[in-house]
Amino acid sequence: MKKLMIVSVMLMAAFAAQAQLKVAPKMEKGTTKTYATTMTTNIPGQGEVKITADTKYTVSAATADGYVVDVVSTDVKSDATADNIAGKLISASQELMKDMTVSLATDKDGKILGIKNFNELKPKIDEASGKFADKMLKEIPQLTQLMSKEALINQINENLTEENLVRTMQANTSVLVLNGKTIMTGAQDEFVNEQGMKMKRMYFVNGKKVTTNSSMNMSKDEIKAFIIKQVEQLAPEQAEMIKKNIDQVMATGMLKIDMKETANYEFADDGWVKTLKTEATTDTMGQQTKINTISTLK
C-alpha cells in the first residue's frame, strides 16, 4: 500500500510538471510581430458592433533590464452606426490611439513594466480626445442629453491614462498578458480588468495552450464605489442622487453586476502568442453584454 501511494505521488508530480508553462517569448532587437484582431460587441438595445485592427509589436531596443517594445495599431475600423451611442464610445479608445506608438518597457521575459513615452503621448491623446468629442456631438446631437462635452472628454481620457493603458496591455485580450509567468494548471491569481473590475483568474495548461477562466471578485462596498465612480464620469449631475439612493436600490437586489471572462491562448515555438480568443460577459441589472475578441498572428 505504501509503495502504491509513493508511485501515485510520483505520477501526480510528473503530471503537474507537464501541466505548466513558462511564458517568455524570444526577443531581440528587430523582432516584429503583427496581429489581426477582431472585437465583436453585443450591447443590449444597441445591436452588434465590430471593430477590426492590425497591431504591430516591434522590439526596438535591448536594455540592461529587458527590452523596449513599440506597439502601434493601424487600419482600425468600426461599423458602429451613428445611432449606436454605446458602440461609438466603445470604439473611441481604439480609434483615438490609431497610429500612435506606445513604447513599453519590459523585463527580460517580456513582462510589461511601464510606458516609456507616455509624456510624449499625453498631448496627442488630449488633442485627439477633443476632436473626437466634437465629432461625436456633431454626429449624435442627442448625446448632449446624456453628458456634456467635458464629461465625454473626461470619460475618454479616463480610459487613456498611463495606468489604464498599461492595464489594457495586461488585459486578457492582450498577447503580452502572460509574459513572465510560470503557469500551472489550477493556479489562481487576481487582477483588475480593463473596466476597472477586480477579477479572480484560474489557469489550465495543455502543452502550448493555456485557458484562463476569470470571474468578478468584488465586495458589495467595492461594487458600490465602482458604480458611483462610473456615474461621476458619465453623468456627474446625477452623482449626488445616486449616492443618496444606491444603498436602497442595492438592497432590493435590482442593481446587480457580474462579469466572467474566458481566454484561450496558443503559443508558437518562439513563445509568442499564435492565436488568442477571448469572451467576456457582463450582466448589469438583467442586461447582458458580450465581447468576443480574436487575435491571430499574421
Side-chain angles (χ1 to χ4, degrees):
M1 182 64 70
K2 290 182 178 179
K3 183 177 180 181
L4 180 60
M5 185 179 296
I6 292 172
V7 171
S8 298
V9 171
M10 291 175 64
L11 287 173
M12 290 176 65
F15 176 78
Q18 289 180 345
Q20 69 177 24
L21 178 70
K22 172 64 181 288
V23 182
K26 182 180 179 181
M27 289 192 177
E28 57 185 16
K29 185 177 179 179
T31 298
T32 299
K33 302 288 181 179
T34 301
Y35 293 85
T37 299
T38 299
M39 183 175 76
T40 305
T41 304
N42 266 301
I43 308 168
Q46 295 286 321
E48 184 178 280
V49 175
K50 183 179 291 185
I51 302 171
T52 60
D54 283 351
T55 305
K56 184 178 181 180
Y57 298 80
T58 302
V59 181
S60 59
T63 66
D65 301 319
Y67 301 92
V68 177
V69 180
D70 292 340
V71 184
V72 59
S73 293
T74 60
D75 199 27
V76 180
K77 297 176 182 177
S78 169
D79 65 0
T81 57
D83 60 344
N84 191 333
I85 297 175
K88 284 285 189 181
L89 290 173
I90 289 172
S91 304
S93 60
Q94 304 291 329
E95 295 176 344
L96 278 173
M97 294 298 294
K98 176 183 176 182
D99 297 326
M100 291 190 194
T101 298
V102 181
S103 296
L104 301 174
T106 77
D107 66 11
K108 292 188 180 297
D109 290 331
K111 178 182 177 181
I112 299 171
L113 303 176
I115 299 176
K116 291 181 66 67
N117 67 332
F118 185 77
N119 289 338
E120 300 171 22
L121 286 172
K122 187 64 169 67
K124 297 178 182 179
I125 291 172
D126 290 343
E127 181 181 0
S129 298
K131 290 181 178 178
F132 185 83
D134 287 335
K135 178 184 176 183
M136 287 280 288
L137 294 171
K138 182 178 180 180
E139 292 180 355
I140 314 173
Q142 63 269 34
L143 187 59
T144 57
Q145 300 173 16
L146 300 176
M147 65 181 76
S148 65
K149 176 181 176 180
E150 291 73 21
L152 177 56
I153 291 175
N154 288 339
Q155 172 67 10
I156 295 170
N157 286 342
E158 175 68 21
N159 292 324
L160 296 174
T161 62
E162 182 173 6
E163 179 184 1
N164 282 345
L165 281 176
V166 171
R167 186 182 294 165
T168 298
M169 297 292 179
Q170 294 174 331
N172 283 336
T173 53
S174 169
V175 299
L176 305 178
V177 61
L178 300 183
N179 287 1
K181 293 181 180 289
T182 299
I183 304 166
M184 296 181 63
T185 293
Q188 298 184 49
D189 65 9
E190 295 183 350
F191 68 100
V192 177
N193 69 8
E194 293 174 89
Q195 289 75 35
M197 296 180 177
K198 289 175 61 178
M199 307 285 287
K200 180 179 286 186
R201 175 170 49 196
M202 179 176 284
Y203 296 88
F204 302 89
V205 181
N206 182 13
K208 293 181 180 178
K209 296 181 179 180
V210 175
T211 296
T212 66
N213 291 329
S214 307
S215 57
M216 195 174 77
N217 185 34
M218 297 173 67
S219 66
K220 179 180 177 180
D221 286 341
E222 288 171 332
I223 293 173
K224 176 181 171 181
F226 175 81
I227 293 171
I228 291 173
K229 182 179 179 181
Q230 297 300 309
V231 174
E232 287 175 339
Q233 292 173 359
L234 289 171
E237 66 281 359
Q238 303 293 327
E240 195 58 36
M241 181 188 69
I242 294 295
K243 290 178 182 178
K244 289 181 180 178
N245 296 284
I246 191 169
D247 287 324
Q248 180 179 351
V249 176
M250 290 183 74
T252 66
M254 294 175 59
L255 189 54
K256 290 184 177 180
I257 298 178
D258 192 24
M259 187 169 191
K260 298 184 184 301
E261 296 181 356
T262 299
N264 293 283
Y265 307 82
E266 181 178 357
F267 293 89
D269 290 339
D270 63 359
W272 284 83
V273 167
K274 184 178 179 182
T275 59
L276 167 57
K277 298 179 181 180
T278 68
E279 179 179 302
T281 303
T282 305
D283 286 297
T284 306
M285 297 179 65
Q287 298 293 311
Q288 189 176 86
T289 298
K290 286 189 175 181
I291 302 177
N292 290 287
T293 305
I294 301 175
S295 295
T296 305
L297 182 63
K298 298 183 75 172

